[in-house]
Amino acid sequence: MKLMFISDIHGSLFWLDKALAKVREEQPDTLVILGDFLYHGPRNPLPDGYDPQGVAARLQEYSKIIVAVRGNCDAEVDQMLLKFPMMGDYAMILHEGRRIYATHGHGFNIDNLPALHENDIFIQGHTHVPVADIREGIYVLNPGSISLPKENNPNSYGILENGSFSVKDFEGNIVKSITL
């Protein structure tokens, strides 16, 4: 089972279209979106191709494969535009015998982990910075941001497949990776 992770769209139809082209290329079984769908947020600049309504419409085409969680910039009004649930603070996914705790990262985060078993996976967005590491026996991951990367990182997404997690840029380069 192949999972693809994206985070922090922030209303950018330009970058969402690039990510969805990678969905068509990568062919994941599930697309996990780690929050911050439509609004750019008061601390962020407007991203390229800012079009929240266009983002909502485009995501509808993929709603059958999406698992999503709410980000700190998401509100109930955003849920009204989306046909898949996205207001949960976290989603638990079972993958290849492991639990994956998927969240945005503004509550529980890499520095404040929820109660998980050793070798479980914790994945978040929110920081816009890719991570592939182990803390307290837990795999901690972040695919970075598709629209507004920080700390000189490229726009990126994550792939989890065959016991490996990779963060990739949109040219196909592996930015970070870890064997699980």
Side-chain angles (χ1 to χ4, degrees):
M1 183 173 164
K2 185 176 190 177
L3 303 178
M4 181 171 169
F5 297 87
I6 64 172
S7 191
D8 300 283
I9 302 166
H10 288 291
S12 174
L13 185 56
F14 175 82
W15 285 105
L16 178 61
D17 280 342
K18 287 188 174 287
L20 293 176
K22 290 298 180 182
V23 168
R24 292 187 295 276
E25 179 184 315
E26 297 271 7
Q27 294 290 303
D29 298 290
T30 303
L31 174 62
V32 182
I33 305 178
L34 300 171
D36 285 355
F37 292 81
L38 306 180
Y39 180 54
H40 70 284
R43 296 178 299 184
N44 295 314
L46 284 175
D48 293 336
Y50 186 67
D51 181 359
Q53 290 179 339
V55 166
R58 191 80 84 242
L59 286 172
Q60 306 308 9
E61 300 169 27
Y62 294 83
S63 61
K64 290 182 180 178
I65 67 163
I66 292 175
V67 169
V69 297
R70 178 183 64 86
N72 61 306
C73 293
D74 298 322
E76 289 180 21
V77 70
D78 300 326
Q79 180 65 81
M80 297 165 99
L81 292 175
L82 299 168
K83 294 188 186 338
F84 52 87
M86 50 73 73
M87 289 301 293
D89 288 329
Y90 68 95
M92 291 294 275
I93 303 166
L94 296 177
H95 182 264
E96 298 177 357
R98 286 196 169 102
R99 290 186 310 162
I100 300 172
Y101 187 104
T103 191
H104 182 62
H106 62 291
F108 285 116
N109 57 61
I110 288 171
D111 295 319
N112 178 33
L113 294 171
L116 294 169
H117 294 287
E118 187 171 336
N119 292 319
D120 280 347
I121 298 167
F122 177 87
I123 188 163
Q124 73 167 77
H126 187 55
T127 64
H128 302 219
V129 177
V131 175
D133 202 358
I134 300 173
R135 295 214 184 142
E136 302 172 21
I138 309 296
Y139 291 92
V140 292
L141 313 173
N142 187 324
S145 172
I146 67 166
S147 68
L148 295 167
K150 294 185 178 173
E151 297 182 9
N152 295 313
N153 285 290
N155 305 73
S156 59
Y157 64 96
I159 295 291
L160 179 60
E161 181 181 38
N162 297 325
S164 179
F165 176 77
S166 298
V167 176
K168 297 181 180 182
D169 66 17
F170 288 95
E171 284 73 52
N173 301 307
I174 294 176
V175 177
K176 297 228 180 226
S177 67
I178 192 167
T179 301
L180 307 175

